[in-house]
Amino acid sequence: MRKSLKSVLFASAAGMLLLSACGTAGKESGSEATDSKGAEPVTLKFLTQVVDYPKYEDQINEALHKTHPNITVEFDHVFDNYDSVLKTKIATKDAPDLFNYAGYLAMKPFADADQLLDFTEDKIEEGILPNFREGGKYNGKTYAVSTQVLGYGLIYNKQAFREAGIAEPPRTLPELKEAIDKLNEIGITPFASGFKDVWLSYHMFWAMQGATLDDFQQFYDDMNAGKAKTKTDRLDKAFELFDLYNANDGQNPLSSDFSNMSHLVGTKKAAMAIQGVWSYEEMVKLDPDVELGLAPIPVSDDPQDATMLADGDGFIYISKDSKHPEEAKQFLKWMVSKDGAEATVGSILKQQSTSVSNSKTELNALSADVAKYIADGGKTRGFVINFWPSGLADIIGKEMQDYIAKGKTRDQLFDNIDASWKKLYKP
């Protein structure tokens, strides 16, 4: 697992994906979906954090029915406190058939509690590129498949940068301060925040921690053994980014949510936001002609430390209590098949797929920047959230909100996270 998280290996894997995505489609894997005409109609419940799946539910089912006319998927989208909602549903025997959740060690409590369907023998993961398979495994068993490659960094409005005379996205904190000054001088708010949403608040912490940790597995092991603390010199330095963010967003940071943040950047009312490629559709909603870019996150005074987060994501699990396990597995096989990848990750999300089919897709501007950055050998790290104890994300989000609203010190925030980690970790 540790090897799969080394940035150089991920860059290599994603580079392979980029090359094949830009070329011709490969052959279908052995896990391609089988025809199910004549089978009994089944409706699968899918709990998700992916914004676009529910919006395009009809189109997804239309594509799915070409191969599996008996299977229909109903998406239930949860924006905030997703962790709590999912755990409550599972605990009350109302578990969805399928759900999105982080991969790697994030699945540990569900697997240990025997709440996930083991589909190792079905070899569904053979439908995705080898370098993205490890994140769906735990104790040698396969419980999830990754469906997409996601990137996370500094999103910026190119027109705002041009008007402010900013030639290149800042790679250091001093350069970021200069950019902020230039934007303020011409009356463009430097940042748009969405910290009213708990998930955006813990995303910000995830971004800074992920960009300043070299070995997620080692950090996880050391935290559990009491040999490490959340606070590091590098993360403490990176928090200057968060303070600059809050001081230059033009409003109370806790009064804005994801949609507002996206619209502000998309309409040039704000110039920057630290977010992921999934923000693209919301950002272009009010101005389809907006020019957006995604750059590495500046976290220190050294440009070499600027880092983009990129990893296989979009993990999909099947609940052990699903009444339709075979149909759920058929849906997963379809998701990572050529047709499924094109119908969902490609045509709807405009993001890179992990599918071995490597269908040629039109990437949105942010995903295209991630792909180019990886292909050019830029520094990337994976998603550290996959190495947080289950339940820690929402706690960190609320701690970050308290840091803004109540003026907590960084040390208080770090100490509270350490205490929560110790309480949540179960050997």
Side-chain angles (χ1 to χ4, degrees), residues 327-388:
E327 289 82 2
K329 286 188 285 188
Q330 288 174 20
F331 174 74
L332 277 193
K333 290 179 182 179
W334 177 79
M335 277 288 290
V336 299
S337 72
K338 179 177 182 292
D339 290 342
E342 286 179 347
T344 56
V345 178
S347 65
I348 289 176
L349 302 179
K350 296 290 192 298
Q351 295 165 3
Q352 296 181 75
S353 168
T354 58
S355 172
V356 296
S357 301
N358 292 323
S359 54
K360 184 177 180 180
T361 58
E362 178 188 352
L363 301 179
N364 69 48
L366 302 182
S367 289
D369 275 355
V370 175
K372 184 178 185 304
Y373 183 78
I374 293 171
D376 290 344
K379 180 191 289 186
T380 63
R381 287 191 173 93
F383 295 161
V384 71
I385 190 174
N386 292 315
F387 290 77
W388 289 351

Coordinates of all heavy atoms in Angstrom, one line a residue, residues 327-388:
E327 N -26.8 -7.9 -8.8 CA -27.1 -6.7 -9.6 C -26.1 -5.5 -9.3 O -25.7 -4.8 -10.2 CB -28.5 -6.2 -9.5 CG -29.6 -7.2 -10.1 CD -29.9 -8.4 -9.2 OE1 -29.4 -8.4 -8.1 OE2 -30.7 -9.2 -9.6
A328 N -25.8 -5.4 -8.0 CA -24.9 -4.3 -7.6 C -23.5 -4.6 -8.2 O -22.8 -3.7 -8.7 CB -24.8 -4.2 -6.1
K329 N -23.1 -5.9 -8.2 CA -21.8 -6.2 -8.9 C -21.9 -6.0 -10.4 O -20.9 -5.5 -11.0 CB -21.4 -7.6 -8.5 CG -21.0 -7.8 -7.1 CD -20.4 -9.2 -6.8 CE -21.5 -10.2 -6.7 NZ -21.0 -11.5 -6.2
Q330 N -23.0 -6.3 -11.0 CA -23.1 -6.0 -12.4 C -23.0 -4.5 -12.7 O -22.4 -4.1 -13.7 CB -24.5 -6.6 -12.9 CG -24.5 -8.1 -13.0 CD -25.9 -8.6 -13.3 OE1 -26.7 -7.9 -13.9 NE2 -26.2 -9.8 -13.0
F331 N -23.6 -3.7 -11.8 CA -23.5 -2.3 -12.0 C -22.0 -1.8 -11.9 O -21.6 -1.0 -12.7 CB -24.4 -1.5 -11.0 CG -24.2 0.0 -11.1 CD1 -24.8 0.7 -12.1 CD2 -23.5 0.6 -10.1 CE1 -24.6 2.1 -12.1 CE2 -23.3 2.0 -10.1 CZ -23.9 2.7 -11.2
L332 N -21.3 -2.3 -10.9 CA -19.9 -1.9 -10.8 C -19.1 -2.3 -12.0 O -18.2 -1.6 -12.5 CB -19.3 -2.6 -9.5 CG -19.6 -1.9 -8.2 CD1 -18.7 -2.5 -7.1 CD2 -19.3 -0.4 -8.3
K333 N -19.3 -3.5 -12.5 CA -18.6 -4.0 -13.7 C -18.9 -3.0 -14.9 O -18.1 -2.7 -15.7 CB -19.0 -5.4 -14.1 CG -18.5 -6.5 -13.1 CD -19.0 -7.9 -13.5 CE -18.5 -8.9 -12.5 NZ -19.0 -10.3 -12.9
W334 N -20.2 -2.6 -15.0 CA -20.5 -1.7 -16.0 C -19.9 -0.3 -15.8 O -19.4 0.3 -16.8 CB -22.1 -1.5 -16.0 CG -22.5 -0.5 -17.1 CD1 -22.7 -0.7 -18.4 CD2 -22.9 0.9 -16.8 NE1 -23.1 0.5 -19.0 CE2 -23.2 1.4 -18.1 CE3 -22.9 1.7 -15.7 CZ2 -23.7 2.8 -18.2 CZ3 -23.4 3.0 -15.8 CH2 -23.7 3.5 -17.0
M335 N -19.8 0.1 -14.6 CA -19.1 1.4 -14.3 C -17.7 1.5 -14.8 O -17.2 2.6 -15.2 CB -19.2 1.7 -12.8 CG -20.5 2.3 -12.3 SD -20.8 4.0 -12.8 CE -19.5 4.9 -11.9
V336 N -17.0 0.4 -14.7 CA -15.6 0.4 -15.1 C -15.4 -0.2 -16.5 O -14.2 -0.3 -17.0 CB -14.7 -0.4 -14.1 CG1 -14.8 0.3 -12.7 CG2 -15.1 -1.8 -14.0
S337 N -16.5 -0.5 -17.2 CA -16.4 -0.9 -18.6 C -16.2 0.3 -19.5 O -16.4 1.4 -19.0 CB -17.6 -1.7 -19.0 OG -18.7 -0.8 -19.1
K338 N -16.0 0.1 -20.7 CA -15.8 1.2 -21.7 C -17.1 2.0 -21.7 O -17.1 3.3 -21.6 CB -15.5 0.7 -23.1 CG -15.3 1.7 -24.2 CD -14.9 1.1 -25.5 CE -14.8 2.1 -26.6 NZ -16.0 2.8 -26.9
D339 N -18.2 1.4 -21.9 CA -19.5 2.1 -22.0 C -19.8 2.8 -20.7 O -20.3 4.0 -20.7 CB -20.6 1.1 -22.3 CG -20.5 0.6 -23.7 OD1 -19.8 1.2 -24.6 OD2 -21.2 -0.5 -24.0
G340 N -19.6 2.2 -19.6 CA -19.9 2.8 -18.3 C -19.0 4.0 -18.0 O -19.5 5.1 -17.5
A341 N -17.8 3.9 -18.3 CA -16.8 5.0 -18.0 C -17.1 6.2 -18.9 O -17.1 7.3 -18.5 CB -15.4 4.5 -18.3
E342 N -17.5 5.9 -20.2 CA -17.8 7.0 -21.1 C -19.1 7.7 -20.7 O -19.2 8.9 -20.7 CB -17.9 6.4 -22.5 CG -16.6 6.1 -23.2 CD -16.8 5.6 -24.6 OE1 -17.9 5.2 -24.9 OE2 -15.8 5.5 -25.3
A343 N -20.1 6.9 -20.2 CA -21.4 7.4 -19.9 C -21.4 8.2 -18.6 O -22.3 9.1 -18.3 CB -22.4 6.3 -19.8
T344 N -20.4 8.0 -17.7 CA -20.4 8.6 -16.4 C -19.2 9.5 -16.2 O -19.3 10.7 -16.3 CB -20.5 7.6 -15.2 OG1 -19.4 6.6 -15.4 CG2 -21.8 6.8 -15.3
V345 N -18.1 9.0 -16.0 CA -16.9 9.7 -15.7 C -16.5 10.6 -16.9 O -16.1 11.8 -16.8 CB -15.7 8.8 -15.3 CG1 -14.4 9.7 -15.1 CG2 -16.0 8.0 -14.1
G346 N -16.7 10.1 -18.1 CA -16.4 10.8 -19.3 C -17.4 11.9 -19.7 O -17.1 13.1 -19.5
S347 N -18.6 11.5 -20.1 CA -19.5 12.5 -20.6 C -20.2 13.3 -19.6 O -20.5 14.5 -19.8 CB -20.6 11.7 -21.4 OG -21.4 10.9 -20.5
I348 N -20.3 12.8 -18.3 CA -21.0 13.6 -17.3 C -20.0 14.4 -16.5 O -20.1 15.6 -16.3 CB -21.8 12.7 -16.4 CG1 -23.0 12.2 -17.1 CG2 -22.2 13.4 -15.1 CD1 -23.8 11.2 -16.4
L349 N -19.0 13.8 -15.9 CA -18.0 14.4 -15.1 C -16.9 15.1 -15.8 O -16.2 16.0 -15.3 CB -17.4 13.4 -14.1 CG -18.4 12.7 -13.2 CD1 -17.7 11.7 -12.2 CD2 -19.2 13.7 -12.3
K350 N -16.6 14.7 -17.1 CA -15.5 15.3 -17.9 C -14.2 15.1 -17.1 O -13.4 16.0 -17.1 CB -15.8 16.7 -18.2 CG -17.0 17.0 -19.1 CD -16.8 16.4 -20.5 CE -17.9 16.9 -21.5 NZ -19.2 16.5 -21.2
Q351 N -14.0 14.0 -16.5 CA -12.8 13.7 -15.7 C -12.2 12.4 -16.3 O -12.7 11.7 -17.0 CB -13.1 13.5 -14.2 CG -13.7 14.8 -13.6 CD -14.3 14.6 -12.3 OE1 -14.3 13.4 -11.7 NE2 -14.9 15.6 -11.7
Q352 N -10.9 12.2 -15.8 CA -10.2 11.0 -16.2 C -10.8 9.8 -15.6 O -11.1 9.8 -14.4 CB -8.7 11.1 -15.9 CG -8.0 12.2 -16.6 CD -6.5 12.2 -16.2 OE1 -5.8 11.4 -16.7 NE2 -6.2 13.2 -15.4
S353 N -11.0 8.7 -16.3 CA -11.4 7.5 -15.7 C -10.3 6.5 -15.4 O -9.2 6.6 -16.0 CB -12.4 6.8 -16.8 OG -12.6 5.4 -16.4
T354 N -10.5 5.7 -14.4 CA -9.5 4.7 -14.1 C -9.6 3.4 -14.9 O -8.8 2.5 -14.8 CB -9.6 4.3 -12.6 OG1 -10.9 3.8 -12.4 CG2 -9.3 5.5 -11.7
S355 N -10.6 3.4 -15.8 CA -10.9 2.2 -16.6 C -9.8 1.8 -17.5 O -9.1 2.6 -18.1 CB -12.2 2.4 -17.4 OG -12.4 1.3 -18.3
V356 N -9.5 0.5 -17.6 CA -8.5 0.0 -18.5 C -8.9 0.2 -20.0 O -8.0 0.2 -20.9 CB -8.2 -1.5 -18.3 CG1 -7.6 -1.8 -17.0 CG2 -9.4 -2.3 -18.6
S357 N -10.2 0.5 -20.2 CA -10.6 0.8 -21.6 C -10.0 2.1 -22.1 O -9.9 2.3 -23.3 CB -12.2 0.8 -21.6 OG -12.7 -0.4 -21.2
N358 N -9.7 3.0 -21.1 CA -9.1 4.2 -21.5 C -9.8 4.9 -22.6 O -9.1 5.3 -23.6 CB -7.6 4.0 -21.8 CG -6.8 3.6 -20.6 OD1 -7.1 4.0 -19.5 ND2 -5.9 2.7 -20.8
S359 N -11.0 5.1 -22.5 CA -11.8 5.7 -23.6 C -11.3 7.2 -23.8 O -11.0 7.8 -22.8 CB -13.3 5.7 -23.3 OG -13.5 6.2 -22.1
K360 N -11.4 7.6 -25.0 CA -11.0 9.0 -25.3 C -12.1 9.9 -24.8 O -13.2 9.8 -25.3 CB -10.7 9.2 -26.8 CG -10.2 10.6 -27.1 CD -9.9 10.7 -28.6 CE -9.4 12.1 -28.9 NZ -9.1 12.3 -30.4
T361 N -11.8 10.8 -23.9 CA -12.9 11.7 -23.4 C -12.4 13.1 -23.4 O -11.2 13.4 -23.4 CB -13.2 11.3 -21.9 OG1 -12.1 11.4 -21.1 CG2 -13.8 9.9 -21.8
E362 N -13.4 14.0 -23.4 CA -13.1 15.4 -23.4 C -13.0 15.9 -21.9 O -14.0 15.9 -21.2 CB -14.2 16.2 -24.1 CG -14.0 17.7 -24.1 CD -15.1 18.5 -24.6 OE1 -16.0 17.8 -25.2 OE2 -15.2 19.7 -24.5
L363 N -11.8 16.2 -21.4 CA -11.7 16.6 -20.1 C -12.1 18.0 -19.8 O -11.8 18.9 -20.7 CB -10.2 16.4 -19.6 CG -9.6 15.0 -19.7 CD1 -8.1 15.0 -19.3 CD2 -10.4 14.0 -18.9
N364 N -12.6 18.3 -18.7 CA -12.9 19.7 -18.4 C -11.6 20.4 -18.1 O -10.5 19.8 -18.0 CB -13.9 19.9 -17.2 CG -13.3 19.5 -15.9 OD1 -12.2 19.8 -15.5 ND2 -14.1 18.7 -15.1
A365 N -11.6 21.7 -18.1 CA -10.4 22.5 -18.0 C -9.5 22.2 -16.8 O -8.3 22.1 -16.9 CB -10.7 24.0 -18.1
L366 N -10.2 21.9 -15.7 CA -9.4 21.6 -14.5 C -8.8 20.2 -14.5 O -7.6 20.0 -14.2 CB -10.3 21.7 -13.2 CG -11.0 23.1 -13.1 CD1 -11.9 23.1 -11.8 CD2 -10.0 24.2 -13.0
S367 N -9.5 19.2 -15.0 CA -9.0 17.9 -15.1 C -7.9 17.9 -16.2 O -6.9 17.1 -16.0 CB -10.1 16.9 -15.6 OG -11.0 16.7 -14.5
A368 N -8.0 18.7 -17.2 CA -7.0 18.7 -18.2 C -5.7 19.3 -17.7 O -4.6 18.8 -18.0 CB -7.5 19.6 -19.4
D369 N -5.8 20.3 -16.8 CA -4.6 20.8 -16.1 C -3.9 19.8 -15.2 O -2.7 19.7 -15.2 CB -5.0 22.1 -15.3 CG -5.0 23.3 -16.1 OD1 -4.7 23.3 -17.3 OD2 -5.4 24.4 -15.6
V370 N -4.7 19.0 -14.5 CA -4.2 17.9 -13.7 C -3.4 16.9 -14.6 O -2.3 16.5 -14.3 CB -5.3 17.2 -12.9 CG1 -4.7 16.0 -12.1 CG2 -5.9 18.2 -11.9
A371 N -4.0 16.5 -15.7 CA -3.4 15.5 -16.6 C -2.1 16.1 -17.1 O -1.1 15.3 -17.2 CB -4.4 15.2 -17.7
K372 N -2.1 17.3 -17.5 CA -0.9 17.9 -18.1 C 0.2 18.0 -17.0 O 1.4 17.7 -17.3 CB -1.2 19.3 -18.7 CG 0.0 19.9 -19.4 CD -0.3 21.3 -20.0 CE 0.8 21.8 -20.8 NZ 2.1 21.9 -20.0
Y373 N -0.2 18.4 -15.8 CA 0.8 18.6 -14.8 C 1.5 17.3 -14.4 O 2.7 17.2 -14.2 CB 0.1 19.1 -13.5 CG 1.0 19.4 -12.4 CD1 1.8 20.6 -12.3 CD2 1.0 18.6 -11.3 CE1 2.6 20.9 -11.2 CE2 1.9 18.8 -10.2 CZ 2.6 20.0 -10.2 OH 3.4 20.2 -9.1
I374 N 0.7 16.2 -14.4 CA 1.2 14.9 -14.1 C 2.1 14.4 -15.2 O 3.2 13.9 -15.0 CB 0.1 13.9 -13.9 CG1 -0.7 14.2 -12.6 CG2 0.6 12.4 -13.8 CD1 -1.9 13.4 -12.4
A375 N 1.6 14.6 -16.5 CA 2.4 14.2 -17.6 C 3.8 14.9 -17.7 O 4.8 14.4 -18.2 CB 1.6 14.4 -18.9
D376 N 3.8 16.2 -17.2 CA 5.0 17.0 -17.2 C 5.9 16.7 -16.1 O 7.0 17.3 -15.9 CB 4.7 18.5 -17.2 CG 4.0 19.0 -18.5 OD1 4.2 18.2 -19.5 OD2 3.5 20.1 -18.6
G377 N 5.5 15.8 -15.2 CA 6.4 15.4 -14.1 C 6.2 16.2 -12.9 O 7.1 16.2 -12.0
G378 N 5.1 16.9 -12.7 CA 4.9 17.8 -11.5 C 4.7 16.9 -10.3 O 4.3 15.8 -10.3
K379 N 5.0 17.6 -9.1 CA 4.9 16.8 -7.9 C 3.5 16.7 -7.5 O 2.7 17.6 -7.5 CB 5.6 17.6 -6.8 CG 5.5 16.9 -5.4 CD 6.0 17.9 -4.2 CE 7.5 18.1 -4.3 NZ 8.0 18.8 -3.1
T380 N 3.1 15.4 -7.2 CA 1.8 15.1 -6.7 C 1.8 14.3 -5.5 O 2.8 13.5 -5.2 CB 0.9 14.3 -7.8 OG1 1.6 13.1 -8.0 CG2 0.8 15.1 -9.1
R381 N 0.8 14.4 -4.6 CA 0.6 13.5 -3.5 C -0.8 13.0 -3.6 O -1.7 13.7 -4.1 CB 0.9 14.2 -2.2 CG 2.4 14.4 -1.9 CD 2.7 14.9 -0.5 NE 4.1 14.9 -0.2 CZ 4.8 16.0 -0.3 NH1 4.3 17.1 -0.8 NH2 6.1 16.0 0.0
G382 N -1.1 11.9 -2.9 CA -2.4 11.3 -2.9 C -3.3 12.0 -1.9 O -3.1 13.2 -1.5
F383 N -4.4 11.4 -1.5 CA -5.4 12.0 -0.7 C -5.3 11.4 0.8 O -5.6 10.3 1.1 CB -6.8 11.7 -1.2 CG -7.1 12.3 -2.5 CD1 -8.1 11.9 -3.3 CD2 -6.3 13.4 -3.0 CE1 -8.4 12.5 -4.5 CE2 -6.6 14.0 -4.2 CZ -7.6 13.5 -5.0
V384 N -4.7 12.3 1.7 CA -4.5 11.8 3.0 C -5.7 11.5 3.8 O -5.7 10.7 4.8 CB -3.7 12.9 3.8 CG1 -4.5 14.2 4.1 CG2 -3.0 12.4 5.1
I385 N -6.9 12.0 3.3 CA -8.1 11.6 4.0 C -8.4 10.1 4.0 O -9.0 9.6 4.9 CB -9.3 12.3 3.3 CG1 -10.6 12.2 4.1 CG2 -9.5 11.8 1.9 CD1 -11.8 13.0 3.6
N386 N -7.8 9.4 3.1 CA -7.9 7.9 3.1 C -7.1 7.3 4.2 O -7.3 6.1 4.5 CB -7.3 7.4 1.8 CG -8.1 7.7 0.6 OD1 -9.4 7.6 0.6 ND2 -7.5 8.2 -0.5
F387 N -6.4 8.1 5.0 CA -5.6 7.6 6.1 C -6.0 8.3 7.4 O -5.2 8.4 8.3 CB -4.1 7.7 5.8 CG -3.6 6.8 4.8 CD1 -3.9 7.0 3.4 CD2 -3.0 5.6 5.1 CE1 -3.5 6.1 2.5 CE2 -2.6 4.7 4.2 CZ -2.8 4.9 2.8
W388 N -7.2 8.8 7.4 CA -7.8 9.3 8.7 C -8.7 8.2 9.3 O -9.4 7.5 8.5 CB -8.6 10.6 8.4 CG -7.8 11.8 8.1 CD1 -6.5 12.0 8.1 CD2 -8.4 13.0 7.6 NE1 -6.1 13.2 7.7 CE2 -7.3 13.9 7.4 CE3 -9.7 13.5 7.4 CZ2 -7.5 15.2 6.9 CZ3 -9.8 14.8 6.9 CH2 -8.8 15.6 6.7

